[in-house]
Amino acid sequence: MAWVHFPVRDPHHLPVGGQTVVAAFCHEVESYATGISNTSRVTNGEQVSVELPDYDRLGRRTWPPTSEKIGYENSLNNSGALPDTPREVGSLGFMAENGTVTTDFILMGFQLRAELQMGLFFVFLIVYLITMVGNLGMIVLIQCDLHLQTPMYFFLSHLSLLDICYSSVIVPQLLESLGTDKMVISYERCATQFFFFTFCASTECFLLAVMAYDRYVAVCNPLLYATTMTPQTRLGLVSGAYAGAMVNSVIRTGCTFSISFCKSNHLDFFFCDLPPLLKLACSETRPRERVIYLLAFLVITTSISVILISYLFIIQAILKIHSAGSKAKTFSTCASHMTAVALFFGTLIFIYLKGNMGKSLMEDKIVSVFYTVVIPMLNPMIYSLRNKEVKEALKKVLNRMRVSQVE
């Protein structure tokens, strides 16, 4: 066996007892000898001695590689022995010797001052409560009012359900992260969150496309609307949206979490998203990235294509209407959906298809907050404030509640 000696600049970082030792080969080897004892030892001075395997008969070092900068980590046992296999540095114990991933991540969040973090905590808490009340209220309203038992509101109720799930996947963990400054999340929980986040986002893409098709049928073929958008057709369209999102989520999650994450366990984000996870990868990611981004491209472009084609026919139909009042009324039925589409796809395209994705994580954090926290809160407002039928149904429900209280 061979002893390799190298200096340690900070003696305070030397291991004591069962603490972690991190050896970094930062300088040339000073001296070595063979046939020395099998017991590794660490001095308390300015130099650390690490036992390495023998050189082969031709004088070639078998491990570690000849690079001058190599790191490995191990927890010392009672005898102070070090292993012969490399490990990555990580505060919660990374396993890199067999290509497996870490058991935990630390979400770094926004890394702001304590008073700002607490302020954001209450802001996001209020936003989350408004999101829950608004979307649950929309679902209950659609189920209770007979005038809202139409295909458009059937799809809208599913959109509200998605916004509830979408927000609940992200915001509770975000609140926990803001409350504790840092948050430890297990590998399994991170993968689960990534899957459901992808599922909700993909389903919302497809559902917005389905809603655009619904508006196309209502405007361009109003006489055939009832026979075209039957309950079976509606259920089939929604099921197709969920099925497509499920396939995308399974493939995307499988590709992402088959990557070895061993550069660090510090995830510089407030939830498990793709760009910050890729920054931790220590294995080849290009083939998997191509699959991931190809799927994202297909989901987004397919949905946007259906939406654009639908609205091109809608605009063409509106232009044929002679009455200005009829034009405005017809266009108003699509205005809420167009607003929701612009908000959702605008931010989604920015965060996932921009050229410098992952290079400005603070910028990505702000945009991600908008489409994971703010948009789910805005959707029920967009569809209620700009919709006379919803406002009338809400008035009826409030009047019933007042009458019941008086009685």
Side-chain angles (χ1 to χ4, degrees):
M1 306 297 289
W3 287 96
V4 178
H5 304 275
F6 56 93
V8 176
R9 295 182 179 180
D10 188 356
H12 297 290
H13 287 88
L14 291 171
V16 179
Q19 293 181 357
T20 300
V21 86
V22 179
F25 293 79
C26 299
H27 300 281
E28 294 182 358
V29 174
E30 294 180 356
S31 64
Y32 66 89
T34 58
I36 305 181
S37 172
N38 290 328
T39 303
S40 300
R41 52 193 176 85
V42 179
T43 65
N44 293 324
E46 290 291 316
Q47 206 171 57
V48 176
S49 299
V50 179
E51 187 180 19
L52 298 176
D54 288 329
Y55 287 75
D56 62 17
R57 294 181 178 180
L58 297 178
R60 294 173 301 189
R61 186 164 57 185
T62 57
W63 184 88
T66 55
S67 170
E68 292 185 358
K69 293 185 179 180
I70 303 172
Y72 70 94
E73 175 191 43
N74 178 61
S75 296
L76 288 175
N77 55 27
N78 293 332
S79 64
L82 293 172
D84 293 333
T85 53
R87 288 180 179 263
E88 291 291 332
V89 178
S91 61
L92 293 177
F94 277 68
M95 296 191 302
E97 58 185 302
N98 58 359
T100 56
V101 293
T102 179
T103 56
D104 297 279
F105 293 103
I106 297 178
L107 296 176
M108 302 304 293
F110 294 96
Q111 303 180 49
L112 301 173
R113 295 196 303 270
E115 55 272 18
L116 293 177
Q117 297 247 122
M118 189 55 61
L120 283 178
F121 176 87
F122 287 108
V123 169
F124 289 138
L125 178 60
I126 293 171
V127 169
Y128 182 62
L129 293 176
I130 294 173
T131 301
M132 293 296 105
V133 172
N135 285 287
L136 283 173
M138 183 67 73
I139 294 173
V140 171
L141 198 63
I142 291 170
Q143 296 299 318
C144 293
D145 196 289
L146 294 176
H147 294 91
L148 301 181
Q149 302 295 318
T150 62
M152 184 179 75
Y153 293 106
F154 173 78
F155 297 131
L156 182 56
S157 63
H158 280 274
L159 182 63
S160 295
L161 178 62
L162 277 175
D163 285 334
I164 291 172
C165 298
Y166 203 15
S167 186
S168 297
V169 168
I170 303 298
V171 180
Q173 182 176 279
L174 172 58
L175 295 175
E176 186 177 352
S177 177
L178 289 171
T180 59
D181 190 31
K182 292 181 181 179
M183 177 185 168
V184 177
I185 181 172
S186 67
Y187 171 82
E188 293 78 11
R189 184 179 172 186
C190 183
T192 302
Q193 183 190 55
F194 185 88
F195 172 82
F196 282 106
F197 164 72
T198 303
F199 177 75
C200 292
S202 302
T203 307
E204 189 154 342
C205 286
F206 292 133
L207 189 60
L208 288 171
V210 168
M211 294 173 73
Y213 173 72
D214 171 72
R215 290 297 84 207
Y216 156 74
V217 177
V219 173
C220 298
N221 299 292
L223 298 178
L224 301 176
Y225 183 65
T227 57
T228 303
M229 301 302 293
T230 61
Q232 293 78 12
T233 303
R234 291 182 246 164
L235 187 59
L237 289 171
V238 170
S239 299
Y242 284 117
M246 178 64 71
V247 172
N248 178 50
S249 303
V250 170
I251 297 175
R252 194 167 183 264
T253 305
C255 288
T256 301
F257 286 87
S258 62
I259 297 172
S260 296
F261 304 113
C262 54
K263 284 186 178 179
S264 172
N265 65 339
H266 289 72
L267 194 65
D268 192 8
F269 220 62
F270 61 92
F271 70 98
C272 291
D273 199 10
L274 183 64
L277 282 170
L278 291 178
K279 291 176 73 71
L280 306 183
C282 60
S283 59
E284 178 59 41
T285 63
R286 288 182 183 178
R288 295 180 180 89
E289 282 188 67
R290 291 192 187 101
V291 175
I292 291 169
Y293 288 118
L294 177 61
L295 286 172
F297 178 78
L298 289 175
V299 170
I300 293 175
T301 53
T302 301
S303 302
I304 290 179
S305 297
V306 173
I307 292 169
L308 290 177
I309 293 171
S310 298
Y311 275 105
L312 284 175
F313 283 108
I314 290 171
I315 293 171
Q316 186 179 8
I318 291 175
L319 292 177
K320 293 179 180 179
I321 299 174
H322 300 290
S323 173
S326 298
K327 284 184 179 180
K329 184 178 180 180
T330 304
F331 184 79
S332 65
T333 61
C334 306
S336 299
H337 180 258
M338 292 175 64
T339 304
V341 166
L343 288 173
F344 183 76
F345 281 101
T347 54
L348 202 64
I349 290 171
F350 179 83
I351 194 68
Y352 279 103
L353 298 183
K354 67 189 181 78
N356 62 337
M357 188 182 67
K359 294 182 179 179
S360 177
L361 280 177
M362 181 53 70
E363 186 179 76
D364 289 349
K365 289 176 187 178
I366 295 172
V367 177
S368 297
V369 165
F370 187 73
Y371 80 90
T372 59
V373 180
V374 178
I375 289 180
M377 177 192 69
L378 294 178
N379 278 340
M381 297 181 183
I382 291 170
Y383 282 98
S384 60
L385 296 177
R386 300 177 64 91
N387 193 305
K388 292 181 179 180
E389 292 177 338
V390 173
K391 288 190 285 187
E392 289 177 0
L394 182 59
K395 288 178 182 178
K396 290 179 182 178
V397 171
L398 293 176
N399 289 333
R400 289 174 188 172
M401 292 175 62
R402 290 174 185 173
V403 171
S404 62
Q405 288 178 355
V406 171
E407 294 177 352

